[in-house]
Amino acid sequence: MTSSLLYALAGTLLCGIGLFGMLWLSHLLRKLLAFNIMGSGVFLVLVGLPQNQGGPDPVPQALVLTGIVVAIAATALAVVLIRRYYHLSGLTTLDEEPAFREGGPE
Amino acid sequence: MIRVVRLLILAVACLALTAALAASIWAIAGNPSPVNLPQLLSENLDRSGVEHPVTAVLLNFRSYDTLLEIGVLVIAGIAGISMAKTASLEDPELRTSDALLYALQRWFIPLMLVLAGYLLWAGADRPGGAFQAGAVLAATGVLMRLGGVPMEFLRPGLLLRLGLALGFMVFLLVAVASAIGGDAFLAYPPGMAKILIVVIESVLTLSIAMVLLALFVSAPVNDAEDPEEGSPS
Amino acid sequence: MTEWLLDGLLVAALLATAVAALLSRDLFRAVVVFIAFGLLMAVAWVRLEAPDIALAEAAIGGGLTGVLLLDAVSHLGSKWPREGRQRGGKQ
């Protein structure tokens, strides 16, 4: 066992945490945070697992680099959609309950 | 009560999935990998035109992934702009004009531009490259917007569209040109790999920065009416 | 030994910030903890000998994501959208 494997296993835990957040939390921005945490877990697995045996492996590193940039673009697009949705409906969740006024700098 | 049951079911399901993932990773880590990718890469690095292995993978050996990635980014940028609820992407009302921020960014923006240029240039033989430089350039744009520097190029006119699409277009042009020339799709002609990679990286940096910046500035929603289709903006 | 301690602490901090970002009651605080998570990820990439990803993660996770999400939080949390529902019904 090397430290790379430790990070890969941490990546699986982050995946589990993110999945739980995606399913359990109702606020859309929190779902977005969970989505990002899940993505980070996947990236850790992708880089950590191949580096377990040899040294640093540039191939998965390059692929994860594109993955990170796609993830930020997806996050930014999701923020645009969430803000538009809030503007039109006044809701911050996908349920049909009125938005509970959560968070924000008081 | 139902909430607690749901929470329990979800927690058990997620824990089971995590355990299965961890077990499979443990099993995979025990087996030796069938191919030695780092060795294969270092043997072929001379043919790629750059010295840094990550850049070589991104822009030569797996450039197909990078081409599709910039395509995805351009689509995301277009979707974001078409969702924008502001009459113009550059709305003076939405700028936060803060005197302190303005004074600070007079020092920061030139430094960040130099940093982006350095990162782009360093990609040939050190850690760095188009993605990092694009991210820094986008951050510079965000800072400029927050500080109240007018940014005329962000009006949804010709310049924005050109900036968004430039990286993808140049990349695709190189790929198709080499395919027409009788070589494989995306294979650089021998001897020209270095110069082509530098050109593609430069336009990729610009396009990535424009996509991220356009997505950032199209996020605010104000009460402006939808812009008329085809109206001058 | 020291390296294992460092890796263990870093992994523990990653998991703790991830859980805290999701469970924090205050949305603003959740986003701030998430930015800390992004910066810890950058350190983790350095430990994994991936300086390219570390650079990108530091610029994106620490800078761009933070600005985007904080902007969205202040918009979603501060005010009810003016005439939001009527607008939605009209269109």
Side-chain angles (χ1 to χ4, degrees):
Chain A
M1 169 144 175
T2 61
S3 65
S4 294
L5 192 59
L6 178 70
Y7 284 103
L9 291 175
T12 63
L13 281 175
L14 285 179
C15 265
I17 293 169
L19 182 68
F20 178 77
M22 283 281 278
L23 294 173
W24 175 247
L25 300 169
S26 59
H27 196 288
L28 284 170
L29 269 185
R30 286 174 189 271
K31 272 188 198 289
L32 192 58
L33 291 186
F35 167 79
N36 270 297
I37 285 171
M38 206 171 160
S40 297
V42 173
F43 294 149
L44 275 181
V45 172
L46 276 180
V47 172
L49 189 53
Q51 293 190 359
N52 183 35
Q53 279 147 5
D57 188 349
V59 179
Q61 287 185 11
L63 299 186
V64 165
L65 194 51
T66 61
I68 285 177
V69 178
V70 170
I72 172 70
T75 306
L77 184 59
V79 167
V80 172
L81 289 174
I82 289 171
R83 289 178 73 154
R84 187 71 194 274
Y85 174 71
Y86 178 69
H87 185 74
L88 290 178
S89 69
L91 300 176
T92 55
T93 65
L94 287 178
D95 312 326
E96 283 298 316
E97 304 156 15
F100 46 97
R101 301 191 50 172
E102 183 190 17
E106 301 295 335
Chain B
M1 188 58 209
I2 296 173
R3 211 175 137 83
V4 174
V5 173
R6 268 188 65 202
L7 177 66
L8 275 178
I9 291 174
L10 269 182
V12 168
C14 291
L15 268 179
L17 187 91
T18 311
L21 269 178
S24 56
I25 280 177
W26 189 262
I28 294 171
N31 301 330
S33 60
V35 284
N36 193 345
L37 275 180
Q39 195 193 345
L40 207 61
L41 184 67
S42 57
E43 282 168 3
N44 288 303
L45 194 57
D46 296 336
R47 302 203 340 242
S48 70
V50 286
E51 282 99 62
H52 188 51
V54 174
T55 311
V57 171
L58 273 177
L59 284 151
N60 201 332
F61 299 133
R62 293 296 305 168
S63 51
Y64 193 56
D65 291 332
T66 314
L67 176 65
L68 293 185
E69 186 240 4
I70 187 70
V72 168
L73 282 188
V74 170
I75 292 172
I78 292 170
I81 291 172
S82 54
M83 280 291 146
K85 190 68 178 80
T86 53
S88 153
L89 282 185
E90 226 298 295
D91 190 348
E93 278 181 29
L94 294 173
R95 288 201 295 253
T96 46
S97 303
D98 187 85
L100 190 63
L101 192 57
Y102 188 73
L104 189 68
Q105 72 174 357
R106 282 173 52 200
W107 289 90
F108 264 151
I109 284 175
L111 273 179
M112 285 173 77
L113 289 177
V114 170
L115 179 65
Y118 168 76
L119 280 174
L120 176 62
W121 188 249
D125 54 359
R126 270 156 293 175
F131 296 97
Q132 295 90 331
V136 171
L137 207 57
T140 314
V142 168
L143 196 63
M144 277 167 72
R145 180 188 172 77
L146 291 179
V149 175
M151 292 195 291
E152 290 295 321
F153 59 88
L154 273 178
R155 296 182 181 280
L158 189 64
L159 209 53
L160 178 67
R161 294 177 195 179
L162 199 66
L164 282 177
L166 192 65
F168 187 61
M169 286 191 314
V170 170
F171 211 154
L172 198 61
L173 199 67
V174 170
V176 170
S178 64
I180 290 175
D183 219 336
F185 188 70
L186 268 175
Y188 303 126
M192 286 182 66
K194 171 97 181 171
I195 182 77
L196 280 179
I197 284 178
V198 169
V199 169
I200 291 176
E201 274 209 289
S202 310
V203 290
L204 274 186
T205 304
L206 187 69
S207 274
I208 289 169
M210 286 296 273
V211 167
L212 293 179
L213 189 57
L215 279 170
F216 176 73
V217 297
S218 60
V221 179
N222 64 5
D223 289 330
E225 290 301 317
D226 282 317
E228 291 291 322
E229 183 63 36
S231 67
S233 50
Chain C
M1 189 59 214
T2 329
E3 292 193 350
W4 277 103
L5 194 66
L6 182 63
D7 286 333
L9 277 177
L10 192 54
V11 164
L14 273 175
L15 295 174
T17 44
V19 171
L22 293 185
L23 296 186
S24 164
R25 285 192 63 80
D26 186 17
L27 195 56
F28 179 75
R29 176 181 298 206
V31 170
V32 171
V33 174
F34 181 73
I35 296 171
F37 172 79
L39 291 173
L40 284 173
M41 279 296 290
V43 181
W45 293 125
V46 173
R47 288 294 304 153
L48 278 169
E49 299 177 65
D52 292 86
I53 313 180
L55 278 173
E57 181 81 46
I60 287 174
L64 285 172
T65 317
V67 177
L68 259 177
L69 290 175
L70 285 179
D71 201 28
V73 166
S74 70
H75 175 249
L76 294 188
S78 63
K79 67 174 194 312
W80 193 261
R82 275 174 290 166
E83 54 179 341
R85 282 199 177 277
Q86 293 88 320
R87 247 185 191 295
K90 193 180 69 181
Q91 285 172 349

